[in-house]
Amino acid sequence: MTTPTRKHILRTFVVFVEDRPGVLNRAASLFRRRGYNIESLNVGQTHVPGVSRMTVVVEADEDTARRIEANLYKLVNVLEVQEITHASRIERELALIKVKAPPERRAELIQIAEVFRARIVDMSTDSMIFELSGSHDHIAGLAQVLGEFGIEEMVQTGSVAMSRGAAPPMTHLGRRPADLQ
Amino acid sequence: MAFAKKSDTTKVPMTARSIDVSSEISGPSQIIPKAEAWPDRRGQVLTGSQIIWECLLRESVDVVFGYPGGAIMPLYDAMLEFPIHHVLVRHEQGGSHMADGYARASGRVGVCFGTSGPGATNLVTGIATAMLDSIPMVAITGQVHAHLLGSDAFQEVDITGVTLPITKHNYLVTNVDDIAPTLREAFYIARSGRPGPVLVDICKNAQQDKGVFLWDDGPVSLPGYRPSYIPRPRELDQALALINSAKKPVILAGQGIIRSNASDKLLEFAEATGIPVALTLLGLGAFPASHPQNLGMMGMHGEAWVNNAIQESDLLIAVGMRFDDRVTGKLATYAPYAKKIHIELDPSEINKNVKVDVPIIGDVRTVLATLTPHCTKADRGPWVARINASKGDSAVRDIQTLPDSGKLYAAHVIHDLWRATEGNALVVTDVGQHQMWEAQYYKHETPRSLLTSGGLGTMGFALPAAIGARFARPDADVWVVVGDGGFQMTACELSTLAQEDKKVNVAIINNGFLGMVRQWQQFFYGGRYVATPIRSPDFVKLAEAHGLEGRRVTMRSEVIETVLWAKSRPGTVVIDFRVEQEDAVYPMVPAGADLHDMIRRDSPKATTVSGAPAAHNPIFETGEDE
Ligand SMILES: Cc1ncc(C[n+]2csc(CCOP(=O)(O)OP(=O)(O)O)c2C)c(N)n1
């Protein structure tokens, strides 16, 4: 019997944290210790000095998601947690793929780049680098097609995400990270 | 709808709650008189070490438990100027348990010190013990010079890394100017909300350097910290509806009652509703044992009627407890007919183990006080009568009716200890069989009269925690109840007691085994007693070697007189109770079994479970050997 809450799905959390030493470590340690399954994790600066933003993708059911949120809030340096799994959102990963490109196949590769809306950012005598930002599936699709040419190197970020429209209100403390100095 | 306005039916995500700011702005507990007479040195240039002591004074610290070493010597060097008592422990683990015991006994923040490296790692067990039981503690460790950090310098250990998962929060301080604000935050975090241990690791240079002592008495500003929440009206209403209509309800009371000083509110709530109260191990004392609605301890070694009542109930009202696996048994069959209300301060506990119908997130004292006036006293007569009827076959009576065969049972010792101390002792237990017997046979009437390591189950806790409790409650009749195994883990702290000239009474329940593990071997490992027979030194002589007094007891008739003798002595007394070697704690719900599936004592006369081989323990010296 699977009730909706028991369903394990990939969930996206946006976590605003104070930019202090060890914060990433604390968050990662929490996920490891409680056995939450991190699919990807990204941290970076925001427009607010002193506030960093993490995007965490985790596989979890509804109850677990609530506890992930509550446990993140128990970290003293966590300012705000938003689960945007069900929100309309933009979610992106970035990939760089270096592929074998003998002169006779370059035209073909350029066409592929167009189809996938990828950019070719470097070209040498026998290889090219593709840059693609998109969803996980989108990137996997490109990687699969390029596989036939022979991928020499590939690197991919975790996802970063943002909900569409007005920024969701930061309910906790009635304070937005922007108020922090 | 007593609380919600008609429109308040929208679903708000669980964590999107208003914050109870009242507890945020409450500053440190009252400044102790000594500190009031202390000159105000704010604005003066002091060394980092002096600043640390100034901060401790301002946080009302009157005693610290510690052990010196290279990286913390500047702090020690500054100590003599200050009116704070330092207790030199014999092992830093003992220091951390003392700080813990001090905090459990008083409700204040306990403080311990250790040097860098091994001093800091020795604190780890005590910090984890405090973490699992939500005990407010600040541990201060020395650290190597900031410029040496990361170089594997002598006695450098990344103790903030080590303690990250076992502290509520921790800090590394590299600069003198950060000391005061950090310590202020540390104490605030340790004591507010769901309490816990905070470690502050302070580099030697920060202790030595000079800086201006600045102290802000205003509220601590931590934008990401949410110590408490205000319960939602809608959930209070839902809870009230369930409470007022339940036919077979049970209150499950946990340590949260004690941490939130809510015993009086629990009593009012229970009496207003007539609902019986079951307690967790850490909740014992939160509700008077002698109260007719008190069912006693629930869980793995709870009495049958308690666990059966839970299994049959139609409503569980869990207050300040966290549905630990030792309390629930198998989750799939736990209280199958019951709706569940969970009153809890920490949102991350909701639906963690047991799925609940109505979570109420907030301070349990406030929540109980809010609910009680709206509760109606329903007729729970048949329900209470049914539970009382099943009390007939009780483990307590089983053991009480054992004929005096000249043998000494641990249960006798605890029962007689209870009688001789008139139920007024502050008992600190270790971990094992004696801990469960204490919980079953010593009747605790008041909060903070039983201190025990529940969550981590740390052997070696009792003696040092009792020393901490002794400092917190100078007038209490402090008793340590400890096994022969656990006592030997921290027995060195007898020397601390002797040096401090403090009195605690130590009752060693000496069965010649690591009893609880032996019991599991008897029940679940075919009676193979591997690595559980334990040889002990002569505990009486050990006491005497410390300049303390000791006695040995082998017969029931001697128990009460020896307890009274111990109470009459001015100093610490160690009593070696030579009890039945192979007695077991009954009833027992095997780990992972259904809560109602209990192993019971066979017959009143049995001393071992039938079928278990009689253990041969050649190295145990019985009382007769001497
Ligand atoms: C530090 C530590 N190590 C091991 C254990 C596992 N353990 C739980 S109870 C127990 C036996 C305790 O024996 P004793 O202190 O003699 O007390 P008894 O059970 O006989 O009353 C052990 C080894 C523990 N809880 N803590």
Side-chain angles (χ1 to χ4, degrees):
Chain A
M1 191 186 72
T2 46
T3 59
T5 63
R6 288 275 154 259
K7 223 167 64 195
H8 283 256
I9 58 168
L10 284 183
R11 292 170 186 273
T12 307
F13 292 86
V14 174
V15 187
F16 294 93
V17 298
E18 287 179 275
D19 187 8
R20 297 267 186 104
V23 175
L24 176 60
N25 198 359
R26 286 177 202 279
S29 167
L30 165 69
F31 281 92
R32 175 192 55 79
R33 180 164 82 88
R34 301 267 179 200
Y36 304 139
N37 223 335
I38 300 191
E39 190 72 21
S40 88
L41 192 157
N42 172 283
V43 205
Q45 294 175 342
T46 64
H47 62 295
V48 186
V51 176
S52 302
R53 177 176 175 138
M54 298 198 225
T55 307
V56 193
V57 181
V58 206
E59 194 187 308
D61 63 19
E62 180 66 27
D63 285 346
T64 310
R66 298 288 64 79
R67 278 202 312 288
I68 289 173
E69 196 175 326
N71 274 304
L72 281 166
Y73 273 123
K74 279 170 75 171
L75 300 180
V76 171
N77 304 124
V78 168
L79 299 166
E80 172 80 27
V81 183
Q82 295 166 355
E83 196 200 334
I84 59 170
T85 310
H86 305 293
S88 150
R89 67 186 190 277
I90 309 291
E91 193 159 340
R92 292 283 182 274
E93 294 174 18
L94 175 71
L96 296 176
I97 306 174
K98 188 183 285 173
V99 67
K100 285 205 177 76
E104 67 277 13
R105 301 201 69 179
R106 280 183 195 158
E108 217 179 322
L109 283 164
I110 290 166
Q111 252 186 351
I112 291 171
E114 269 172 29
V115 171
F116 277 89
R117 278 167 285 117
R119 296 201 302 151
I120 293 166
V121 290
D122 186 57
M123 188 149 91
S124 66
T125 43
D126 47 11
S127 72
M128 283 177 170
I129 299 180
F130 278 61
E131 177 197 304
L132 177 60
S133 107
S135 70
H136 193 81
D137 290 347
H138 189 178
I139 291 172
L142 175 64
Q144 197 196 355
V145 172
L146 294 184
E148 293 176 22
F149 295 80
I151 293 177
E152 294 191 327
E153 273 190 77
M154 174 164 173
V155 61
Q156 195 173 344
T157 65
S159 62
V160 292
M162 192 175 278
S163 54
R164 291 175 187 269
M170 308 227 174
T171 41
H172 312 283
L173 295 176
R175 251 179 119 161
R176 305 166 63 110
D179 299 334
L180 263 184
Q181 285 321 319
Chain B
M1 294 219 288
F3 301 105
K5 296 186 212 74
K6 277 256 155 51
S7 59
D8 180 35
T9 47
T10 46
K11 189 163 162 26
V12 190
M14 192 176 76
T15 42
R17 293 165 183 274
S18 48
I19 305 299
D20 179 2
V21 285
S22 59
S23 69
E24 276 196 288
I25 45 186
S26 67
S29 39
Q30 74 298 338
I31 300 286
I32 52 169
K34 270 187 283 185
E36 259 166 21
W38 192 246
D40 186 348
R41 300 215 276 180
R42 281 177 298 184
Q44 293 184 21
V45 175
L46 304 176
T47 65
S49 298
Q50 289 173 311
I51 291 175
I52 296 170
W53 288 108
E54 288 286 341
C55 294
L56 296 181
L57 274 181
R58 285 181 180 272
E59 293 293 346
S60 310
V61 175
D62 55 3
V63 59
V64 299
F65 306 92
Y67 207 87
I72 200 169
M73 281 184 68
L75 179 58
Y76 272 87
D77 191 45
M79 183 170 94
L80 291 180
E81 301 172 35
F82 292 87
I84 294 180
H85 183 64
H86 177 270
V87 176
L88 177 67
V89 304
R90 293 301 180 269
H91 185 295
E92 290 87 350
Q93 179 188 349
S96 53
H97 290 323
M98 287 179 211
D100 176 320
Y102 176 93
R104 288 183 204 240
S106 66
R108 312 226 296 272
V109 180
V111 181
C112 55
F113 286 178
T115 190
S116 67
T121 53
N122 275 352
L123 291 172
V124 165
T125 302
I127 293 172
T129 304
M131 182 68 177
L132 274 269
D133 287 349
S134 308
I135 304 303
M137 177 199 287
V138 169
I140 296 178
T141 47
Q143 182 53 284
V144 301
H145 270 265
H147 74 265
L148 292 173
L149 283 173
S151 71
D152 300 325
F154 178 64
Q155 294 193 329
E156 182 192 359
V157 152
D158 171 19
I159 197 66
T160 44
V162 169
T163 58
L164 193 138
I166 53 162
T167 49
K168 186 171 172 188
H169 195 56
N170 64 23
Y171 295 90
L172 170 62
V173 178
T174 56
N175 187 317
V176 62
D177 293 330
D178 295 333
I179 289 177
T182 304
L183 282 173
R184 197 155 143 57
E185 279 181 27
F187 275 85
Y188 171 63
I189 290 171
R191 95 178 134 245
S192 56
R194 181 176 181 175
V198 178
L199 178 131
V200 185
D201 194 25
I202 307 180
C203 287
K204 194 169 182 180
N205 57 292
Q207 298 171 44
Q208 289 166 327
D209 291 348
K210 291 193 166 171
V212 181
F213 173 49
L214 296 174
W215 183 268
D216 175 5
D217 274 325
V220 176
S221 163
L222 284 168
Y225 181 58
R226 296 159 181 81
S228 59
Y229 297 83
I230 293 172
R232 283 205 219 109
R234 187 172 49 90
E235 284 162 359
L236 291 169
D237 281 328
Q238 290 172 345
L240 265 186
L242 290 177
I243 291 166
N244 288 338
S245 64
K247 299 254 173 327
K248 299 195 278 179
V250 178
I251 296 168
L252 308 178
Q255 193 199 200
I257 308 272
I258 298 172
R259 295 279 142 245
S260 140
N261 294 318
S263 294
D264 54 337
K265 297 297 163 200
L266 175 66
L267 188 66
E268 286 168 23
F269 176 73
E271 290 187 340
T273 55
I275 301 177
V277 181
L279 297 156
T280 66
L281 173 65
L282 291 186
L284 292 175
F287 192 75
S290 57
H291 194 284
Q293 280 164 250
N294 190 320
L295 299 181
M297 183 173 71
M298 65 181 104
M300 183 176 271
H301 294 294
E303 293 286 5
W305 71 72
V306 191
N307 290 341
N308 286 336
I310 291 169
Q311 291 301 78
E312 284 176 31
S313 71
D314 65 356
L315 176 66
L316 293 180
I317 307 160
V319 192
M321 57 85 77
R322 58 184 175 88
F323 293 106
D324 183 87
D325 53 88
R326 286 294 187 265
V327 151
T328 61
K330 188 176 180 178
L331 287 171
T333 56
Y334 180 67
Y337 315 110
K339 295 268 187 203
K340 287 143 194 128
I341 299 171
H342 195 178
I343 305 174
E344 166 62 50
L345 186 60
D346 178 355
S348 73
E349 291 297 345
I350 302 298
N351 294 331
K352 186 176 82 178
N353 300 332
V354 169
K355 179 113 176 114
V356 297
D357 300 277
V358 181
I360 302 180
I361 302 176
D363 170 51
V364 297
R365 183 180 170 84
T366 318
V367 173
L368 289 174
T370 312
L371 288 175
T372 304
H374 301 276
C375 292
T376 49
K377 185 159 187 155
D379 176 22
R380 325 267 191 214
W383 170 231
V384 174
R386 187 184 157 87
I387 300 175
N388 281 335
S390 64
K391 283 188 181 177
D393 70 47
S394 104
V396 180
R397 281 195 220 166
D398 282 356
I399 201 78
Q400 253 40 279
T401 54
L402 280 177
D404 188 349
S405 55
K407 289 177 171 170
L408 182 60
Y409 288 91
H412 291 152
V413 176
I414 307 289
H415 183 70
D416 289 353
L417 175 65
W418 170 68
R419 290 200 296 171
T421 57
E422 291 159 10
N424 291 323
L426 193 176
V427 185
V428 187
T429 81
D430 215 70
V431 172
Q433 290 183 313
H434 64 278
Q435 178 188 33
M436 293 301 122
W437 281 316
E438 200 286 343
Q440 292 178 337
Y441 297 103
Y442 200 103
K443 306 296 174 200
H444 291 277
E445 298 294 322
T446 53
R448 305 184 196 281
S449 64
L450 167 62
L451 315 184
T452 192
S453 164
L456 198 66
T458 307
M459 283 173 72
F461 171 81
L463 181 64
I467 298 173
R470 158 57 65 231
F471 279 92
R473 305 245 298 268
D475 300 327
D477 180 18
V478 178
W479 279 84
V480 172
V481 173
V482 62
D484 42 335
F487 183 67
Q488 291 184 71
M489 284 197 169
T490 49
C492 55
E493 304 302 343
L494 283 179
S495 181
T496 307
L497 275 168
Q499 183 168 353
E500 291 291 325
D501 198 14
K502 290 287 182 203
K503 174 179 177 60
V504 306
N505 300 304
V506 181
I508 303 175
I509 308 300
N510 185 349
N511 54 12
F513 280 102
L514 299 177
M516 187 57 94
V517 178
R518 186 208 58 75
Q519 175 172 344
W520 284 49
Q521 290 170 334
Q522 175 190 339
F523 287 0
F524 313 120
Y525 291 87
R528 291 179 296 281
Y529 293 167
V530 180
T532 46
I534 182 168
R535 178 180 178 134
S536 298
D538 181 328
F539 290 127
V540 174
K541 286 190 184 143
L542 184 71
E544 288 165 1
H546 287 91
L548 307 170
E549 293 181 281
R551 277 205 189 168
R552 178 163 300 112
V553 172
T554 56
M555 305 211 304
R556 179 158 195 193
S557 55
E558 302 165 334
V559 177
I560 290 198
E561 72 181 75
T562 311
V563 169
L564 294 175
W565 166 79
K567 277 171 64 96
S568 74
R569 305 307 299 158
T572 289
V573 168
V574 176
I575 312 172
D576 179 14
F577 288 101
R578 293 294 179 91
V579 299
E580 270 304 294
Q581 293 191 248
E582 292 179 58
D583 196 6
V585 182
Y586 297 99
M588 177 177 191
V589 181
D594 304 338
L595 192 57
H596 49 269
D597 179 14
M598 283 163 272
I599 304 175
R600 312 289 294 271
R601 189 179 285 276
D602 255 11
S603 82
K605 288 187 197 64
T607 53
T608 55
V609 157
S610 58
H616 173 60
N617 179 12
I619 59 170
F620 179 68
E621 305 159 358
T622 64
E624 288 82 53
D625 293 344
E626 262 103 333

